[in-house]
């Protein structure tokens, strides 16, 4: 079985999280420390996965305290079912006159980059539909 072994620099590059921040997360208990000892220490796929999850949650607007609570509970972020009187933040993206894309960032689990890609995909699909013969 081939185990992924990453240096701190490699982990930083692959996760997009600076090495200093990774050390801070370890100190705060958000992720486990490296495997091995001192200079021979390495990070695994599990470390990378945790960092990517933390980054996604931060991009969704969660604080480090909230993320720490989620990681301690080892569960996905809770999303309450919609109920009458609930307040929910939504992004309304105008694709064209009469066409609107509504995204609830917390419920969708999409990052801002993914929402932009979704918008571009919908815009392209709409333009393609307008160019095709009407049925």
């Amino acid at each position: 079985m081939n185990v992924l072994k990453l240096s701190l620099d490699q982990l930083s590059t692959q996760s997009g999280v600076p090495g200093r921040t990774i050390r801070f997360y370890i100190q705060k208990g958000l992720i486990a420390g490296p495997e091995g000892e001192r200079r021979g220490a390495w990070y695994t796929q599990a470390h990378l996965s945790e960092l990517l999850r933390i980054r996604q949650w931060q991009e969704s607007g969660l604080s480090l305290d909230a993320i720490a609570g989620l990681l301690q509970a080892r569960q996905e972020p809770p999303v309450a079912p919609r109920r009458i009187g609930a307040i929910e933040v939504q992004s309304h993206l105008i694709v064209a006159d009469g066409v609107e894309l509504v995204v609830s960032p917390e419920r969708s689990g999409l990052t801002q980059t993914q929402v932009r890609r979704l918008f571009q995909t919908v815009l392209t699909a709409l333009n393609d539909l307008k160019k095709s013969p009407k049925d």
Side-chain angles (χ1 to χ4, degrees), residues 53-109:
R53 182 177 297 133
I54 290 169
R55 230 180 83 201
Q56 182 182 21
W57 286 342
Q58 282 183 313
E59 289 173 357
S60 296
L62 294 177
S63 69
L64 281 182
D65 287 338
I67 291 170
L70 291 170
L71 291 172
Q72 286 174 353
R74 291 288 186 231
Q75 63 186 27
E76 291 298 313
V79 177
R82 296 176 106 183
R83 63 187 196 292
I84 296 173
I87 297 173
E88 182 174 283
V89 176
Q90 295 180 334
S91 298
H92 293 259
L93 306 165
I94 308 303
V95 181
D97 189 28
V99 180
E100 185 175 351
L101 177 63
V102 180
V103 178
S104 300
E106 182 181 316
R107 298 178 75 80
S108 71

Side-chain angles (χ1 to χ4, degrees), residues 23-42:
R23 286 191 199 100
F24 174 75
Y25 289 169
I26 292 169
Q27 180 185 1
K28 291 291 186 186
L30 296 175
I31 64 170
E35 303 290 326
E37 295 184 27
R38 301 194 181 219
R39 287 194 162 271
W42 70 89

Side-chain angles (χ1 to χ4, degrees), residues 1-6 35 42-46:
M1 184 164 129
N2 194 5
V3 176
L4 180 67
K5 292 185 178 183
L6 301 169
E35 303 290 326
W42 70 89
Y43 298 88
T44 66
Q45 179 65 43

Side-chain angles (χ1 to χ4, degrees), residues 114-129:
Q114 291 170 321
V115 169
R116 279 189 223 104
R117 284 188 11 223
L118 175 63
F119 175 77
Q120 287 300 325
T121 302
V122 170
L123 184 59
T124 301
L126 179 64
N127 288 333
D128 290 347
L129 280 173

